[in-house]
Amino acid sequence: MENFLQYLFDGLSIGSVYALMALGLVIVYRGTGHLNFAQGEMALFATYVVYQMGEWGIPIGFALIVGLAVGFAIGAATEVVLVRPIAKKSPFAVFIVTLGLFQLLNWLDGAIWGDQVLPNSGVGSKQSHFPTLFPSGDDDFVSIFGAAWRLKYLGVLVLVLVITALLFLVFNKTRFGLAMRAVASNPDSAQLVGIRTHTVLMVSWGMAAAIGALGGVVFAGINNTVNLGLMFTVFIYGSAAATLGGFDSPGGAVIAGLSIGVIENLAAGYAQEWVGQELKLGVAFVIIVVVLMVRPSGLFGTSKVERV
Amino acid sequence: MKSLVTIREDSVGHWVLRIVGAVALVVVLVWIPTKGGNGLITDVMEAFTLMSAAMALNLVLGYAGQISIGHSAFFGIGAYTTGICVSRWGFSPWVTFPLAFVIAFVVGVMVSFPASRIKGVYLALVTLALALVFPRLLTWRKLAWLTGGGRGLPQDDAEVSTTGFDIGRRAGQMRHFEIFGWDPFGDLRSIEAKTPFHYWIGALMVVVVYVVCRGIVKSRAGRALIAVRDNETAAAVMGVNLVATKAFIFGISAGLCALPGSFTAIRIGQVTPDLANLTLIGAITFLIVMVIGGAGSLSGPVIGAVLYIAIVSKTGSWADDDNIPGVLRPLFAWAKTPPGTGIFALALILLMFVAPRGIVGAWKQYSRRIVRVEPRPIGVPSTVDALAPSVGATPT
């Protein structure tokens, strides 16, 4: 029971990060119908920015806002400068461009901050660990039936639930949310009824990247460090979550993200011999393949009808 | 569009051009291992590796239009097949090339079955996950008895190859490579003999991969691939068996991609799970090399790989600011890592705007203004046929 609860808590918390990544992917997909391969690397850049702010002694609350703004700017700029002009040519070109951006951003992070794990006193970092939003001391945990839920883990889950609720309100209760849904449903008609589709798409990409950036910052907070490979696996888990939930369903993405977090932790915990920490990623791989084979639209997505 | 020079296909002039090109290529290929330094030979071998992998990827991506970011896994299968067979079981390294091809072929066919249901970027997602899971499998403790876990192969440091054509000591019997009593390299234990020997193995591998790719692309199977790429439904309606075509091309592509893996294992003399080309980074590198050179063209990957290695090895030491040539220093001095990958990523993005078909695509488009090869009208015998009319002349 203790073990089970422990796996469940850890799974829910780490799953929250996957949910954020998946949310970003879903928002982009609903907007322009692309899978943004650079999502994780956009988030990583913003995460490094937050680290740098910490180095300068800026409190994490303010640093986070700057990080989110940087994420938003990268996302919005990508849509305007790269995706919009190239999307007219072919979907393949968009894929290559996002992949190129993946490589470019990863290289840029390395070029600016170096390829070692940060913070690192060896290269003169002033911080002892990556700044976290929540209390992260050794005795900052709540005990539930003997299982410890560290406050910095619990905080992440709460944060994700709050963000999801906010997004739900934005999507369903605001004019802008209505415009976003209209553009997702039919861009041409949306434009005809006077919606500024360009602005909506730009903001969608920006929002997606900002949400991803939040995911990156809290994930680096959980790990205490940031490095160049930080987001590779998170991106795969996030896309597994988006696949499972359905690429056009934000609610599905969150539920699927949390479930994948729990499933992989249960698998790693109970099948230590076979899965363990090394093959956790295999869980995400299996989920992606099985869902795409059996139910390509995911659990909560709408299936796509193709016309010949 | 008027061009300066027009050459009739298969005319004498065209053949002279072809022969001059071939001779120039051979001269360069021979010059590198005989007169070039060890650094240059190593760079060229790395280019051989990349161009073979990119050519293999090109079959699946450039011709059949199936996106794969998972070819690093096939590369890894090749490297580990050679590593395991040679260092654990004492196989001859020659045998491991076809063996790696067969094993990767089978895995490739298996991957193709989900691929025939999963399309576009979703396939990219699946193969991306494959690229990330594969190195984890290599370090998995249940497989450590075979793969050697995180340490890789050979297990014993003392066995790491310093001698000739082998991985570890067990297969170190081969000391000389003789063709009919002619020993062109000498004692293979010395690095001066070993490097050119590996170079020629690499060159042979590139030729084999190129010939196989060319054979497929110019055949009925190749036309089926292009039909699948351009419009899957239309291809199926015209009688292309989609499942069989995809299984075939994934298998061949995976098998060919395993060859540079085997070659790398032999060249380096050991295999470890953090070999760059068998991780996600490798898969992305293959893709970038292929797209920059020209997706869907036979020579594209070759050009792309040469360019990639030229720039990456030129800028490899640029993390240290003193190594940057004066003019470029202000541009790159701020970077803590070499700018090679960044330059290529940027080039990739820009290329998608100006020349989506890569360097070769752009070359084909612009070179036509200067020299144009006019296709031979149907029914006219070519020069070759005219020289040997009895062999295969078209009856007219």
Side-chain angles (χ1 to χ4, degrees):
Chain A
M1 184 65 185
E2 270 174 53
N3 276 345
F4 175 77
L5 280 179
Q6 191 67 58
Y7 298 145
L8 183 70
F9 294 160
D10 290 353
L12 281 175
S13 306
I14 204 82
S16 319
V17 177
Y18 306 159
L20 284 176
M21 192 53 59
L23 261 178
L25 289 172
V26 165
I27 293 174
V28 162
Y29 188 86
R30 275 165 58 108
T32 52
H34 299 120
L35 179 53
N36 179 12
F37 277 89
Q39 171 88 4
E41 299 313 303
M42 291 176 173
L44 186 62
F45 187 84
T47 308
Y48 269 107
V49 168
V50 170
Y51 159 83
Q52 189 60 55
M53 297 259 153
E55 281 298 290
W56 291 334
I58 294 165
I60 173 69
F62 183 69
L64 179 69
I65 294 172
V66 174
L68 294 187
V70 168
F72 187 94
I74 297 176
T78 303
E79 202 278 327
V80 174
V81 179
L82 299 178
V83 176
R84 193 178 301 166
I86 209 89
K88 292 178 201 124
K89 292 187 178 170
S90 75
F92 177 71
V94 177
F95 161 74
I96 295 290
V97 163
T98 57
L99 206 63
L101 200 61
F102 173 105
Q103 187 91 333
L104 184 66
L105 285 171
N106 196 279
W107 167 80
L108 193 63
D109 293 337
I112 299 176
W113 287 284
D115 50 10
Q116 66 281 49
V117 172
L118 293 174
N120 184 338
S121 54
V123 291
S125 297
K126 294 188 197 80
Q127 311 164 84
S128 59
H129 54 76
F130 192 87
T132 50
L133 286 165
F134 310 105
S136 57
D138 284 339
D139 46 357
D140 287 322
F141 60 85
V142 286
S143 196
I144 303 169
F145 294 113
W149 202 338
R150 306 271 302 273
L151 282 184
K152 73 172 176 181
Y153 279 51
L154 184 60
V156 175
L157 177 62
V158 173
L159 186 71
V160 170
L161 294 179
V162 170
I163 295 279
T164 314
L166 279 179
L167 279 180
F168 181 82
L169 288 179
V170 169
F171 283 149
N172 292 300
K173 301 287 173 195
T174 63
R175 282 188 69 86
F176 185 75
L178 186 66
M180 277 178 85
R181 281 183 291 146
V183 172
S185 159
N186 189 332
D188 294 338
S189 305
Q191 198 162 20
L192 286 179
V193 296
I195 293 171
R196 292 161 198 246
T197 47
H198 285 335
T199 316
V200 169
L201 292 180
M202 186 186 84
V203 174
S204 301
W205 272 74
M207 248 167 78
I211 292 171
L214 182 63
V217 173
V218 294
F219 189 59
I222 288 178
N223 279 323
N224 289 327
T225 53
V226 55
N227 64 64
L228 290 180
L230 185 76
M231 299 311 276
F232 290 174
T233 50
V234 178
F235 174 74
I236 282 295
Y237 283 121
S239 25
T243 316
L244 180 63
F247 259 96
D248 56 353
S249 158
V254 173
I255 295 172
L258 295 176
S259 329
I260 287 181
V262 172
I263 293 171
E264 63 142 359
N265 264 290
L266 289 179
Y270 282 110
Q272 255 173 15
E273 270 300 292
W274 285 95
V275 182
Q277 295 300 314
E278 305 142 343
L279 269 199
K280 258 182 169 181
L281 195 65
V283 176
F285 178 66
V286 170
I287 289 176
I288 293 180
V289 173
V290 170
V291 172
L292 286 179
M293 295 287 285
V294 179
R295 199 183 151 83
S297 52
L299 293 178
F300 304 96
T302 44
S303 53
K304 209 168 152 190
V305 181
E306 246 181 86
R307 279 184 202 198
V308 180
Chain B
M1 189 166 53
K2 201 81 185 137
S3 45
L4 287 175
V5 187
T6 309
I7 301 175
R8 178 76 59 85
E9 186 185 2
D10 275 340
S11 68
V12 179
H14 193 215
W15 274 102
V16 169
L17 260 186
R18 280 178 178 178
I19 290 165
V20 167
V23 168
L25 192 66
V26 169
V27 166
V28 171
L29 275 182
V30 173
W31 183 84
I32 290 166
T34 46
K35 301 276 177 227
N38 261 339
L40 176 69
I41 304 179
T42 310
D43 282 346
V44 175
M45 286 198 284
E46 188 61 30
F48 283 164
T49 311
L50 276 184
M51 69 179 72
S52 309
M55 276 194 271
L57 177 63
N58 196 10
L59 284 181
V60 162
L61 214 161
Y63 287 99
Q66 309 294 308
I67 298 175
S68 167
I69 332 179
H71 265 56
S72 56
F74 303 129
F75 185 94
I77 289 174
Y80 266 80
T81 304
T82 298
I84 290 167
C85 288
V86 174
S87 81
R88 288 208 186 272
W89 302 324
F91 279 38
S92 154
W94 295 119
V95 180
T96 63
F97 278 98
L99 201 62
F101 180 90
V102 171
I103 294 175
F105 183 91
V106 173
V107 177
V109 168
M110 279 174 355
V111 172
S112 83
F113 291 124
S116 57
R117 260 192 76 112
I118 301 167
K119 289 189 188 114
V121 287
Y122 297 107
L123 184 58
L125 197 57
V126 173
T127 50
L128 175 66
L130 180 70
L132 279 172
V133 168
F134 182 75
R136 305 279 174 117
L137 272 180
L138 294 176
T139 52
W140 192 27
R141 68 176 87 96
K142 290 280 172 192
L143 281 177
W145 59 273
L146 189 67
T147 60
R151 293 216 34 176
L153 290 168
Q155 288 273 282
D156 184 3
D157 252 349
E159 284 196 352
V160 170
S161 168
T162 49
T163 56
F165 185 45
D166 59 349
I167 293 190
R169 267 192 202 135
R170 286 182 62 180
Q173 300 92 347
M174 197 167 138
R175 294 287 178 244
H176 291 269
F177 178 76
E178 296 183 356
I179 314 169
F180 304 117
W182 174 46
D183 181 7
F185 301 106
D187 189 343
L188 291 179
R189 277 173 292 183
S190 74
I191 192 145
E192 290 77 25
K194 192 173 68 169
T195 316
F197 179 57
H198 287 167
Y199 171 91
W200 285 111
I201 297 176
L204 185 68
M205 169 186 75
V206 171
V207 170
V208 168
V209 174
Y210 183 85
V211 167
V212 172
C213 288
R214 193 186 147 86
I216 289 174
V217 168
K218 304 268 173 185
S219 73
R220 181 192 160 96
R223 290 189 291 275
L225 293 181
I226 293 169
V228 169
R229 175 188 71 191
D230 291 345
N231 188 335
E232 219 164 85
T233 318
V237 168
M238 286 191 287
V240 175
N241 183 341
L242 290 184
V243 176
T245 308
K246 284 185 188 173
F248 167 75
I249 204 61
F250 261 91
I252 295 278
S253 168
L256 291 181
C257 198
L259 299 183
S262 295
F263 172 62
T264 304
I266 285 170
R267 182 168 76 82
I268 300 178
Q270 67 186 110
V271 280
T272 55
D274 38 286
L275 206 62
N277 276 348
L278 59 80
T279 61
L280 176 65
I281 296 174
I284 294 181
T285 310
F286 302 157
L287 203 138
I288 290 180
V289 162
M290 189 208 76
V291 173
I292 285 197
S297 78
L298 282 166
S299 50
V302 180
I303 310 276
V306 170
L307 204 65
Y308 187 86
I309 292 298
I311 289 184
V312 166
S313 82
K314 193 89 199 153
T315 62
S317 59
W318 285 16
D320 186 358
D321 295 347
D322 296 337
N323 293 328
I324 306 175
V327 195
L328 295 173
R329 200 169 294 164
L331 267 177
F332 292 108
W334 57 276
K336 288 187 181 169
T337 48
T341 44
I343 293 174
F344 260 85
L346 202 60
L348 186 71
I349 295 173
L350 293 180
L351 206 67
M352 276 294 119
F353 285 89
V354 295
R357 307 205 49 193
I359 293 170
V360 171
W363 164 253
K364 278 181 184 160
Q365 198 178 341
Y366 291 109
S367 68
R368 216 167 277 173
R369 301 208 177 145
I370 300 163
V371 179
R372 199 164 80 94
V373 178
E374 204 171 60
R376 173 162 52 93
I378 295 166
V380 176
S382 72
T383 322
V384 186
D385 297 336
L387 289 175
S390 58
V391 179
T394 332
T396 37

